[in-house]
């Protein structure tokens, strides 16, 4: 659905990597699908001194490298690139925002963008409160001539207190309905599919509760290390980088009650209720419910991988976790007693994200100890990436004499759809923000509730020397102790392959 209101997308931090690799290429993708409004402009803002032309030249390269749409039509690229402008501004200097105001006015007059502006904060988090304050000092947050929206990238705070302070800081200058907090996982097509899968199928919803589900597992693993981002990662770690935001959002979608409508507040109210029902983990119980690890050196497929402590920008004695796993409970009517296990890490064997629902076993094992189904749970795998799709594992008779049951797969792959264009997360989220639809953006209260849950873990990891930090060799599934955290007979984490359905057999990772 096209964005109808004409507008200027103002990107702070426009000379940075995110604008180059994701934001501008995603807007180009929207342009190629005729989803942008009739009158549209991008205004890049940054400290680097660029002319409009410098900015355009740089962005052409980004588009050619990262766009998902065809980039061989020079005429199309040029007509898109002419929608781009740039103004050098030091975001810390209030007086510099006068230049921004003038440029926005000029663009609005020239391109007929009608005073509607999205401000996208793609800057270091230290500027997240300064920029809104400076926008406000020049009246740029006021909606008297068109609407104003503010998109904030993660990290949204560093812990509960800083997230609370940031929230209040933003709310001094913008109203909640103007603020769009990005969690790019919510922009993923397959993450949104969790809502459709759960609430459009009569067959699964009746089973989706403590009566039939044994436990739920959520994995988001990466095979890469921290690369050039050691400096950032040192102050973050896996818990802040992936679990507090992306994985918690997945928990919210997997566990929420049906919203009354598919619209922003209904859905976000339900996510909030899930987070509010999370059983708090006390500081003394952290080791029981949360495991942290850090990757060590190893040779993976003949390639030698550095230890995390040897990466650029990382303290040689670093205690930052590159792997985190948590066992959590949602104390509400639907989920009481059902454990959720979530894990994420760098330098694991492969890049994969999936939600696995383990259904309870039958009350009796009629088909004997030899049968696979005596030992396995029916599993429903919602694969987020790669090889996006859905897999259901159930027991079937092995042909021939007797009654031996083995596990078989029923699977759906998005790649099997002939017109399966999966838009990038940023493409979807940028379009929604232009359309004023905040459904896939996180709301301040839910972000704080998620921080409240992880905060005691962060504090214990920082302050309590008795909480172990396990080292795991690069290329493995994290510390061995994490394998033992799952309750149940014959069960540990699923061993996911790159291909959704190639499981239980040898697979290339
Ligand atoms: C980001 C994290 O939010 O998500 C990165 O900061 C991580 O460390 C990335 O690599 C993973 O995203 P995706 O879409 O590749 O799963």
């Amino acid at each position: 659905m096209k964005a109808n209101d004409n507008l200027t997308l103002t990107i702070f931090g426009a000379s940075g990597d995110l604008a180059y690799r994701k934001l501008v290429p995603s807007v180009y993708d929207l342009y190629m699908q005729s989803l942008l409004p009739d009158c549209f402009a991008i205004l890049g803002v940054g400290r680097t001194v660029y002319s409009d032309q410098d900015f355009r030249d740089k962005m052409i390269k980004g588009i050619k490298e990262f766009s998902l749409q065809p980039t061989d039509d020079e005429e199309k690229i040029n007509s898109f690139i002419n929608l781009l402008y740039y103004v050098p501004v030091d975001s810390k200097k209030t007086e510099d925002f006068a230049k921004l105001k003038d440029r926005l006015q000029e663009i609005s007059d020239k391109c007929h963008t009608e005073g509607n502006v999205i401000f996208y904060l793609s800057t270091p988090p230290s500027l997240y409160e300064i920029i809104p304050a400076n926008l406000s000092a020049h009246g740029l947050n006021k909606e008297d001539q068109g609407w104003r929206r503010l998109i904030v990238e993660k990290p949204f705070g560093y812990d509960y207190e800083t997230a609370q302070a940031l929230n209040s800081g933003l709310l001094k200058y913008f109203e909640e309905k103007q603020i769009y907090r990005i969690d790019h996982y919510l922009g993923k097509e397959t993450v949104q599919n969790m809502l459709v899968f759960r609430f459009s199928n009569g067959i699964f919803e009746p089973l989706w509760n403590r009566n039939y589900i044994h436990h739920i597992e959520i994995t988001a693993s990466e095979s890469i290390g921290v690369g050039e981002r050691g400096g950032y990662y040192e102050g973050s770690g896996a818990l802040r980088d992936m679990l507090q935001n992306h994985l918690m959002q997945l928990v919210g979608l997997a566990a929420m009650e049906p919203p009354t409508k598919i619209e922003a507040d209904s859905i976000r109210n339900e996510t909030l209720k899930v987070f509010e029902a999370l059983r708090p983990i006390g500081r003394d119980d952290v080791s029981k419910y949360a495991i942290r690890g850090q990757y060590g050196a190893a040779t993976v497929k003949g390639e030698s991988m550095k230890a995390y402590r040897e990466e650029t920008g990382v303290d040689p004695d670093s205690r930052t976790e590159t792997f985190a796993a948590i066992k959590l409970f949602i104390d509400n009517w639907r989920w009481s007693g059902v454990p959720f296990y979530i894990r994420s890490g760098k330098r694991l064997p492969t890049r994969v994200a999936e939600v696995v629902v383990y259904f309870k076993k039958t009350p009796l094992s009629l088909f004997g100890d030899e049968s696979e189904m005596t030992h396995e749970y029916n599993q429903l795998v919602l694969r987020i990436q790669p090889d996006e799709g859905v897999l259901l594992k159930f027991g079937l008779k092995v042909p021939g004499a007797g009654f031996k049951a083995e596990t078989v797969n029923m699977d759906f792959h998005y790649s099997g759809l002939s017109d399966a264009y999966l838009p990038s997360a940023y493409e979807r989220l940028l379009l929604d923000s232009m359309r004023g639809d905040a459904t896939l953006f996180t709301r301040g209260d839910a972000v704080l509730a998620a921080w409240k849950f992880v905060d005691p873990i962060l504090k214990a990891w920082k302050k309590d020397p008795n909480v172990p930090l396990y080292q795991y060799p690069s290329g493995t599934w994290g510390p061995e102790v994490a394998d033992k955290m799952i309750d149940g007979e014959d069960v540990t984490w699923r061993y996911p392959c790159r291909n959704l359905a190639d499981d239980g057999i040898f697979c290339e990772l």
Side-chain angles (χ1 to χ4, degrees), residues 159-231:
D159 54 16
Y160 180 67
E161 285 82 32
T162 50
Q164 213 176 19
L166 174 58
N167 223 19
S168 332
L170 295 180
L171 289 169
K172 273 194 231 153
Y173 309 109
F174 285 85
E175 289 174 37
E176 178 64 41
K177 69 175 174 48
Q178 294 176 283
I179 304 173
Y180 290 67
R181 296 172 193 80
I182 283 226
D183 184 308
H184 81 279
Y185 262 59
L186 289 179
K188 291 182 192 273
E189 192 63 36
T190 39
V191 171
Q192 293 151 35
N193 182 49
M194 283 176 57
L195 278 179
V196 178
F197 184 86
R198 282 194 56 199
F199 302 126
S200 71
N201 291 305
I203 45 176
F204 297 112
E205 194 47 28
L207 308 181
W208 211 266
N209 56 53
R210 63 187 304 277
N211 297 324
Y212 299 99
I213 291 180
H214 184 266
H215 69 275
I216 291 186
E217 169 193 319
I218 302 179
T219 293
S221 69
E222 293 180 280
S223 50
I224 53 167
V226 293
E228 300 303 307
R229 298 168 73 223

Side-chain angles (χ1 to χ4, degrees), residues 154 184-185 188 222 224 229 232-233 241-242 246 346 351 385:
K154 67 165 257 240
H184 81 279
Y185 262 59
K188 291 182 192 273
E222 293 180 280
I224 53 167
R229 298 168 73 223
Y232 150 78
Y233 202 86
D241 190 48
M242 293 292 290
H246 309 323
K346 300 229 184 253
R351 173 176 182 253
Q385 65 193 22

